[in-house]
Every structure is written in structure tokens, then in C-alpha cells.
Amino acid sequence: QPMGGFNSTQPPAGSAQLELNSINLSTAADMLSEAVGTKEFQESALAYGMGPVLEEAIKILRALSLAADHPDKFGIAVQAWDNGSSKFPRKSPNDTEKLMPTDWRCNGQPDKWGLDLCIWLLSPCVTFADLAEKPHALVLTSGTLSPIGAMVQELGPAFQNRMHKTAVPTQADHVLGAEQLLARVVAKSAQGCEMICTADGLGRPEVAIELGVTLARIARASPRKGGMLVFVSSFATARRLKALWSDQQAHITHWQTKLRMPWPGTTVWTELSN
């Protein structure tokens, strides 16, 4: 049954426990994958726009099958999101039509609320078990493998058993020297706004916009070829900041009511994108 739109205006409350059966899930994924591969099924799926939906379903079934075999290595949750009361409503991605046809949605409109099935792999040893056992040789290279001992433990027993007993891992010094690193704390913006980047702080448009303005000022003063990498606490926070930094009316309101001056005319996102 389609799960894109909901007639109810409120997300469900409460919680439930679900017992997963690895064999059943794996069998279901194999059967669905085999069916999707047939010509008749592909023609039908193409006619109804079901191809991407079924591909996602197969991925979910295989992930749940792994979770059933390794319950202590996975976290599974169903999270509700609410567009009605959110200051930053969730907007559908550009490829939503491929995954959820418009006529499946509630009255053809964006959902007022919805559910996300979250499957989190908490340990890499689950996926490295088969990978470590099958190949003749496996070479790992990365800038973030150190400390080697902890990394080997995380990749699990199968990888530890294949680890060369006498070879010494090659480790290079860090690419940056101390003279190339500068650490600073920016407590306030140029307009005196305190940069309190907690969930509550970033929920205030004046803080979020001043944070963006501050980043834009730093970007202008930095070498153009270097670029800028900004870390935030979650993807949801990144989406909210991008939406606000692209909102012209939010900028006009901030400059006129908070700063008491005319808006320069360029959004934070435009400056950061350039």
C-alpha cells in the first residue's frame, strides 16, 4: 500500500516493537529482485512508475535482513516529521516524482506529516565480514585509519584473521604542519549577535542569518581556490540553514527589523555559492 500521503492531519503517537526474521527478509528480497528482473514486471513497473520504488524496497529488505542477523550492530527507528508546525517545512527532493507519484499523495499536495524508516549501521564489521574473507588480498588506504589497532578492532574478527601478522602498516605524517593551522572561536558576529549554535540558537532566524553572514565574510577573506568546509550537527540542520540562507524575505526582515538598515540585496547562500 502506498505510504506517501496521509489523510490524518496528525502523526501517530506511541511505539511498537518488531521482531525481524533474517531468512524471511532475505527470501523476500531475493524473490522481489528476481521478479523485478523479468520483462513483464519491468514493463508493468515502467507503466506505473514503480521501478525506483521497488529498487528502494529491495535495499530496505536486505538492510533489515542484516539487522536481524546482527541486532547489536544496528539501530532501527521510525521517525515522524511534521510539516504543519515546523518553521522550516520539509520540501520534497527533485526526484520525488520518481519515488512517489503525485497522485499517491494526499489530495496531490505535499504531505503535512510523514514517517522516515531509519536503519543505522553502527559497526563496519558487518559489511567487512564477507569482504575480508573472499578476496585474495585487500589493501586499505585512507587519511583517517590511525590508530591502526582501534581500526582493526572495528572491522571485526574476519578482518583481524586476514591481517598480515608481520607486515608493519605504512603511516605517513599529517599533511598539515602546525604553522598551517589556525584555530579561532568566533563568539559574536560583526553586528554583535552571539553565535550560540545550539538547536535553540539556530532556531532563531537572527542567529542563523548572522552565522551565514559571518561565514560569508570569512569566505571572502579566504583564498578562493581553497574553498570552505562547514560542519553542522545534522542533515536536517543543514537543510534548514540552506533554506533560510536562500530566503530573500527572511533577509529583508532581518536587516530592517533587527539591524535597522537596508538589506544589501544578496542572500547568504548566493554569496557562499560564489
Side-chain angles (χ1 to χ4, degrees), residues 77-222:
V78 176
Q79 296 182 337
W81 48 267
D82 183 3
N83 264 354
S85 61
S86 175
K87 293 182 179 179
F88 304 98
R90 177 179 295 202
K91 295 182 179 179
S92 303
N94 295 330
D95 60 349
T96 294
E97 281 298 311
K98 299 178 182 178
L99 296 178
M100 189 60 59
T102 302
D103 55 1
W104 284 14
R105 293 179 166 272
C106 181
N107 300 321
Q109 299 298 318
D111 301 323
K112 295 181 180 179
W113 64 273
L115 299 174
D116 283 340
L117 173 61
C118 305
I119 308 173
W120 297 301
L121 176 60
L122 306 178
S123 173
C125 68
V126 175
T127 53
F128 255 88
D130 288 341
L131 185 60
E133 293 174 353
K134 293 179 180 179
H136 172 72
L138 179 63
V139 180
L140 292 183
T141 62
S142 174
T144 55
L145 295 181
S146 183
I148 299 296
M151 181 272 296
V152 172
Q153 291 289 332
E154 290 178 357
L155 296 184
F159 184 82
Q160 295 177 42
N161 293 336
R162 290 292 305 276
M163 187 81 172
H164 201 288
K165 305 302 180 184
T166 58
V168 178
T170 301
Q171 299 186 63
D173 292 333
H174 201 285
V175 67
L176 289 180
E179 70 281 359
Q180 296 174 282
L181 183 65
L182 176 66
R184 289 290 185 269
V185 176
V186 181
K188 293 184 179 182
S189 70
Q191 301 298 333
C193 178
E194 293 187 358
M195 297 286 94
I196 303 177
C197 296
T198 60
D200 291 338
L202 291 179
R204 297 165 53 200
E206 61 269 24
V207 175
I209 290 180
E210 282 297 302
L211 172 62
V213 171
T214 302
L215 290 174
R217 289 169 63 93
I218 294 174
R220 286 197 300 269
S222 302

Side-chain angles (χ1 to χ4, degrees), residues 31-108:
M31 293 176 63
L32 186 55
S33 180
E34 183 178 350
V36 169
T38 64
K39 181 179 179 181
E40 296 80 4
F41 203 96
Q42 289 179 355
E43 292 176 350
S44 177
L46 180 63
Y48 291 96
M50 290 287 294
V53 178
L54 295 174
E55 291 175 3
E56 290 299 314
I58 293 171
K59 292 179 183 179
I60 292 172
L61 288 171
R62 297 204 186 283
L64 289 174
S65 178
L66 280 174
D69 282 336
H70 308 276
D72 59 326
K73 301 293 192 299
F74 279 83
I76 301 177
V78 176
Q79 296 182 337
W81 48 267
D82 183 3
N83 264 354
S85 61
S86 175
K87 293 182 179 179
F88 304 98
R90 177 179 295 202
K91 295 182 179 179
S92 303
N94 295 330
D95 60 349
T96 294
E97 281 298 311
K98 299 178 182 178
L99 296 178
M100 189 60 59
T102 302
D103 55 1
W104 284 14
R105 293 179 166 272
C106 181
N107 300 321

